[in-house]
């Protein structure tokens, strides 16, 4: 049980991990947890090329909930890129803040969020913001997305300026959570300057 990865601080990079089945034996049970609860701020982290599945709770959990009266905590400059986050019991991505604390995702791109607990992304309150989101794939039953407390369909999400080239469809993953031939996720991602290979060191994009 417990966190797959917990990250507090600046400029951390979380990449190329396979995180699964957290929470089977109890604990906090998130795949990746980025928190500013015990640190003044968390900035400019990069999360990419991770496979997160089967966790009892959220795939990625972002919190800024320091309540001890000290200087407000926050998360800023975070990029979440090219992750596959599927079949977790909680949300694919959860963002939670308290009071004046804030969480800002600078960029959300090239991710697959599928078959997690609804919604696939849950930004609970106005302290959480996503600056830019594109070429993500979302798929699941029930409410698809929640942003700053409001439940959204995929067209409503796009109307906010997110995922103009995003996809709302079954990603057609194989048993290893790799997009199969015919998957709408294949060759749908942006080319990134931060990296050029996937978790298995295969050149992106997949043809």
């Amino acid at each position: 049980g417990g966190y797959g990865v917990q990250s507090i601080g600046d400029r951390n990079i979380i990449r190329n991990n396979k995180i699964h089945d957290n929470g089977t034996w109890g604990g906090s049970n998130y795949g990746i947890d980025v928190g500013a609860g015990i640190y003044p701020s968390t900035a400019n982290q990069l999360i990419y090329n991770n496979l997160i599945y089967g966790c009892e709770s959220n795939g990625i959990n972002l919190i800024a909930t320091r309540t001890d009266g000290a200087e407000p905590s926050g998360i800023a400059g975070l990029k979440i890129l090219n992750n596959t986050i599927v079949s977790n019991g909680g949300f694919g991505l959860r963002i939670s803040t308290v009071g004046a604390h804030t969480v800002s995702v600078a960029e959300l791109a090239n991710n697959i969020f599928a078959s997690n607990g609804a919604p696939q992304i849950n930004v609970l309150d106005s302290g959480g913001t996503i600056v830019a989101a594109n070429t993500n794939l979302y798929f699941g039953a029930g409410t698809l997305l929640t942003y700053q407390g409001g439940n959204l369909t995929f067209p409503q999400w796009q109307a906010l300026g997110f995922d103009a080239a995003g996809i709302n469809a079954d990603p057609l993953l194989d048993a290893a959570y790799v997009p199969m031939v015919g998957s709408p996720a294949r060759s749908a991602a942006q080319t990134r300057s931060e990296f050029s290979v996937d978790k298995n060191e295969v050149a992106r994009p997949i043809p």
Side-chain angles (χ1 to χ4, degrees):
Y3 307 119
V5 176
Q6 185 178 35
S7 179
I8 298 172
D10 294 346
R11 305 184 188 279
N12 297 336
I13 297 175
I14 304 170
R15 64 178 180 177
N16 297 347
N17 296 287
K18 180 179 179 180
I19 303 169
H20 61 93
D21 297 304
N22 284 7
T24 301
W25 302 102
S28 298
N29 54 40
Y30 306 128
I32 295 175
D33 181 77
V34 179
I38 58 173
Y39 192 82
S41 66
T42 297
N44 302 316
Q45 297 203 30
L46 178 59
I47 300 173
Y48 73 91
N49 278 355
N50 298 285
L51 170 60
I52 307 171
Y53 66 93
C55 296
E56 189 175 55
S57 191
N58 310 313
I60 297 179
N61 193 61
L62 309 178
I63 59 169
T65 55
R66 185 168 175 166
T67 59
D68 61 2
E71 184 176 354
S73 298
I75 298 171
L78 173 67
K79 293 183 179 181
I80 302 173
L81 311 171
N82 294 71
N83 301 284
T84 299
I85 304 170
V86 297
S87 300
N88 296 288
F91 314 117
L93 169 65
R94 176 182 180 264
I95 299 176
S96 178
T97 66
V98 171
H101 309 162
T102 59
V103 171
S104 177
V105 175
E107 192 170 4
L108 182 74
N110 298 352
N111 301 286
I112 295 174
F113 296 95
S115 302
N116 300 291
Q120 300 304 303
I121 292 179
N122 190 356
V123 182
L124 275 76
D125 43 62
S126 60
T129 58
I130 297 172
V131 178
N134 206 4
T135 55
N136 298 289
L137 183 149
Y138 309 96
F139 178 73
T143 299
L144 187 66
L145 301 152
T146 297
Y147 190 68
Q148 296 183 339
N151 294 335
L152 303 172
T153 63
F154 189 63
Q156 290 171 329
W157 173 257
Q158 290 182 308
L160 295 179
F162 300 137
D163 279 296
I167 299 169
N168 177 205
D170 188 333
L172 300 177
L173 304 178
D174 66 16
Y177 301 103
V178 175
M180 296 185 291
V181 173
S183 166
R186 293 177 72 97
S187 299
Q190 306 168 345
T191 300
R192 302 298 313 183
S193 61
E194 295 90 347
F195 49 87
S196 59
V197 296
D198 67 10
K199 185 176 73 66
N200 298 316
E201 302 299 322
V202 176
R204 291 182 180 274
I206 300 171

